[in-house]
Amino acid sequence: MEENKMPLLSVSNVTKIYNEYKALDDVSFNIGAGITALLGNNGAGKTTLINGIVGLIEVNQGTFLLNEMDNAKESKEFRRHLGFLPQECGYYDEFTALQFLRYMGAVKNVPRKKCDEVIEKYMTRLKLWEHRNKKISKYSGGMKHRLGIIQAMLNEPMLLILDEPTTGLDYVERGIFSDMMREYAKEHIVIISTHIFSDVENIAENVLILDAGKLVCNEKFEKGASIIEKYKKYFEG
Amino acid sequence: MGYELRKCLCNKTVILIILIFFVVNGLEASYKSLYPEKVYDTTTTETYKKLIDEAFENIDEGRDVYLSSIFIDRFYDRQITAFVYDEEQVGYETEEVAFVNYETSAMYGLILVAVIVIISIDLERKTRMTQIISVTEKRNGRIHLAKQLAIAAVVVFINAFLFIENVIVHKLVGEIDYGMKLYNIPGYRATLFNGSILEYKIICAIGVCVIEIIIANIIYILACFLKRNIHLIIGSVCTYVVLKMISDNIAFKNYPYSLFSFFKSKNLVKEFIVVRIGNGYTYYLWIALVFLFVVMLITNVCNYFMNKTRRSI
Ligand SMILES: Nc1ncnc2c1ncn2[C@@H]1O[C@H](COP(=O)(O)OP(=O)(O)OP(=O)(O)O)[C@@H](O)[C@H]1O
Ligand SMILES: [Mg+2]
């Protein structure tokens, strides 16, 4: 039942302070299904916000609710519906890609059979299926990145958060990735943090812009428009 | 399951350490005789025997005796069955306990396991997998269980090897007939155990294994809470020391390491360090272990400061 409900993430009054520096300053927003681009200059607080949502860091103030589930109080429930690709993802180099994904499936509590189906689906999609038995240490940077994306999607999460997922992907891969996200975002919330605007211009439905910890822009985005033209003022120093 | 452990076991340094352990274990087995009478260095043996006899006489006559720790150390192959300190006579051990103690005195396996656990946890932290794992539903719950099982398996495996090596070396060097009853060994005449030497050795080895599994897992649990290697090292050494003290206290009713008298007496502390923690070669192994961690620590500290300066630039 819950699966069919339209998802809603609401972030309210979040503040995070690092040694007196406000990395996040009273950030609030609501987002539903669809792709949300999270933008901002280096050090704007994107990763901090994402780490707060997924529960990697504790914020000084504020709450994160996913369909009424609080990430602090019902954190296990929350994590069940969560998929996450960190900015710098670590891997067990000695594992083969398949072993790694199955391992992640196990810790995500995905039944083995379903897990294998999902793995095959996404690995085929991202052209990794023929490399499934290769050790991760023999993977190229872009391949590792794609593996990280698949890892995040294994439990088909209601909330998928990708921190700079397209770095290291070539032109063709970016296209495939965009299509995949567009499809996935029909029923799920997808948050993509990136500096490469062209990757999200054609797929993003919402835009969130952070500037020095403050949320300066939260609005619907018209697909196909140019981010840099529209939001130029936020990206110039 | 136990991925880091597997990786750790394939690590060159760890393999080297394991090899050193096997060599040392073999050497020590050939140096320590199973029969208390069959110490190869006969001249010193006689001298020691005389001293021991004197000590016993003194105890019998109620006089105060002091035996130095080194002396006890040399006699650790069970010719001493009484521990005597400055003012008071602090404890005896029975033949069975003496035998168990002989078997457990080194616990090389444990040191090895401690190294493996610590290195593998360090490796795990370096892979940075913790980030993606800690946001999954199961988190580390499953992994912990798997790792604890893997650690237990490693302990059993290492102990089995050390045990077999020990038995073989004793057989070759000491010409022991393992089928013989334990009470046939002159030093163990009064034992109540009615089985063969080998049976008793196996019982001891199983006991050691169980104790080591418990200690290794405690070290593992500690390691999960302690984020820094230095805390980890101190933590595991302390765990080892404390548990050894507790187990000794349980084994010997009157043991010198009753916590109270332990902290009262410098000699007891010295003896504990030299004999218990640093029994013969083990002493050097502990030094090597500490050295290894000091190196690890220094690299970590250097890294930390380098990162810091990099950040500030
Ligand atoms: N652990 C930390 N301790 C202290 N300050 C931190 C820490 N993590 C982040 N910060 C600071 O918080 C601010 C926001 O950092 P954050 O990583 O969220 O930026 P970002 O928007 O993700 O940048 P980028 O585009 O470079 O990834 C920065 O000024 C950073 O220096
Ligand atoms: Mg970032």
Side-chain angles (χ1 to χ4, degrees), chain B residues 154-196:
Chain B
V154 172
V155 172
V156 171
F157 186 74
I158 287 175
N159 271 304
F161 261 89
L162 291 178
F163 176 74
I164 291 168
E165 189 191 18
N166 213 300
V167 167
I168 292 173
V169 173
H170 271 153
K171 177 94 193 153
L172 293 180
V173 181
E175 293 165 7
I176 286 167
D177 176 5
Y178 280 117
M180 222 160 63
K181 296 279 187 194
L182 182 65
Y183 52 69
N184 281 340
I185 303 179
Y188 299 98
R189 283 264 145 69
T191 180
L192 297 174
F193 182 71
N194 198 19
S196 69

Side-chain angles (χ1 to χ4, degrees), chain B residues 231-265:
Chain B
H231 297 162
L232 207 56
I233 300 153
I234 297 171
S236 44
V237 172
C238 290
T239 315
Y240 175 82
V241 171
V242 169
L243 289 183
K244 193 92 176 83
M245 276 164 76
I246 292 172
S247 69
D248 282 346
N249 265 299
I250 294 168
F252 312 115
K253 287 196 192 76
N254 252 330
Y255 211 59
Y257 310 121
S258 86
L259 294 179
F260 180 65
S261 60
F262 183 80
F263 290 111
K264 242 174 40 181
S265 161

